Amino acid sequence: MKKENFQFEFTRISSKDELNPIDQELMQHALRASAEAYAPYSNFFVGAAAKLSSGIILTGSNQENASYPVGICAERVLLGIVATQHPKIPIDTMAITYQSKNRESNVPVSPCGMCRQALLEFENRVNQPIRLLLGGVTGEILIIESTRLLLPLAFESSYLK
Ligand code: THU
């Protein structure tokens, strides 16, 4: 028997003001995208912005549905846009933020399990990690160097070969 453990490092900063100007701008794009979310059921408006390695910035937001499971998260909306409009171009950084009508939006939220799986597949596909910036409208920001870190023992395409 062998016990193993998984650890990962991330950075926590106290506010957006501590981000470099490029990251601050990306967070702004994500916040603007959250205003385009369609979230009448959860009142949780998520915005995501990706800076591609070519410098282009694209955004996505969550899109809900009266048939709840049909709704799609901001991150996966964005991955679809990136992969369609700029195929094979890696994402250097993705900023994810939200505005909730039910609570103060002052703590970072991190991607749901399904989005982690989708983000990892995108990383594998283009062979480059996606750096994540996670934060609310105010408050702390988390910086994570690869989405892979959020999904230990992930199910990956190698299992299918
Ligand atoms: N949501 C996202 O867009 N991204 C996440 O990572 C977590 C949750 C959306 C899904 C749903 O529309 C709303 O937030 C509440 O769960």
Side-chain angles (χ1 to χ4, degrees), residues 39 42 44 46 62 64 72-75 110-112 115:
S42 70
F44 195 80
V46 184
N62 55 328
E64 296 185 350
I72 178 165
C73 294
E75 295 90 328
S110 67
C112 78
C115 288

Side-chain angles (χ1 to χ4, degrees), residues 98-111:
Y98 67 98
Q99 304 183 67
S100 170
K101 281 196 185 160
N102 302 327
R103 44 159 296 156
E104 234 189 301
S105 308
N106 59 355
V107 289
V109 295
S110 67

Side-chain angles (χ1 to χ4, degrees), residues 34-143:
S34 70
E36 305 307 328
Y38 176 65
Y41 307 105
S42 70
N43 283 321
F44 195 80
F45 299 80
V46 184
K51 189 166 82 60
L52 309 191
S53 57
S54 58
I56 285 173
I57 293 175
L58 294 168
T59 59
S61 57
N62 55 328
Q63 303 294 320
E64 296 185 350
N65 193 283
S67 171
Y68 293 178
V70 175
I72 178 165
C73 294
E75 295 90 328
R76 277 175 295 126
V77 167
L78 177 55
L79 286 176
I81 291 169
V82 171
T84 306
Q85 297 191 356
H86 298 272
K88 303 196 178 81
I89 308 290
I91 297 171
D92 281 347
T93 305
M94 184 183 289
I96 303 165
T97 191
Y98 67 98
Q99 304 183 67
S100 170
K101 281 196 185 160
N102 302 327
R103 44 159 296 156
E104 234 189 301
S105 308
N106 59 355
V107 289
V109 295
S110 67
C112 78
M114 198 183 275
C115 288
R116 291 175 193 210
Q117 183 75 27
L119 288 159
L120 177 63
E121 182 92 18
F122 190 95
E123 284 190 348
N124 288 345
R125 209 172 144 177
V126 298
N127 206 20
Q128 190 189 291
I130 302 173
R131 179 170 161 268
L132 293 178
L133 306 174
L134 310 176
V137 179
T138 57
E140 292 180 339
I141 305 280
L142 306 185
I143 305 169

